[in-house]
Amino acid sequence: DLGEISAVTVTPEGTIFAAAIGEERIPLPRRPGEKNDLTIEVTPASDGNVLEEPADLPRKITIDLSEMVPAPAHTAMGTAGRLYRIDPGRSPVLVWKSDVERIYGLAWSAGRGLVFGTGGQGTEGRIYRLEPDGSATMLHRLREPQVTALLAQPGGKIYACTSNPGRIYLLDAGSSPAGT
């Protein structure tokens, strides 16, 4: 449903990962009293039983959902990024999504698995790893607003290219004695 496939990578087992990006309409906040409020009606069960309740409780309860839904950060159009997994012989499955970040680079690393680089409007570039349980772990946050390409090397090293300004980073597979 998005306008562009921005990156594709394939694992040694033949699984394809594809990133889609585009603009997406962000829903505007609802106002109190708008239609689609949640209404709960207490009715007898099909066997005629009714839960015991005090006579003064209402039979219908209306909940104004606009009080529970936070206002979106964008009012009309927003950045959208989606990551799909396509296993051989199966339909695509959405595995990651964002309404503020776009995926520009994908790489498969034998030691790290799938790594992807993002960027967005007014954000710093980020590098994530897709975990086996489907969650994503942010590995690095960069000063530049977009991580536009990733290249995995044998031994676990990954080169990350950024834009605005253009830079190349080397993500070493080794561990550091300290960190924050």
Side-chain angles (χ1 to χ4, degrees), residues 95 129-137:
V95 294
R129 177 181 58 227
L130 185 66
E131 301 296 342
D133 67 359
S135 65
T137 299

Side-chain angles (χ1 to χ4, degrees), residues 54-135:
D56 59 340
L57 285 180
R59 302 286 294 176
K60 284 188 179 183
I61 302 168
T62 301
I63 300 171
D64 185 355
L65 295 176
S66 66
E67 298 292 328
M68 298 180 191
V69 178
H74 304 287
T75 57
M77 295 299 286
T79 297
R82 306 288 185 263
L83 178 61
Y84 295 94
R85 177 185 177 126
I86 308 166
D87 289 308
R90 297 186 179 246
S91 298
V93 175
L94 178 67
V95 294
W96 185 86
K97 70 180 260 183
S98 174
D99 293 331
V100 294
E101 294 179 84
R102 293 178 172 189
I103 299 173
Y104 293 106
L106 292 171
W108 178 261
S109 169
R112 297 183 194 220
L114 181 74
V115 179
F116 58 99
T118 70
Q121 298 171 348
T123 65
E124 67 278 344
R126 296 177 182 172
I127 299 172
Y128 294 92
R129 177 181 58 227
L130 185 66
E131 301 296 342
D133 67 359
S135 65

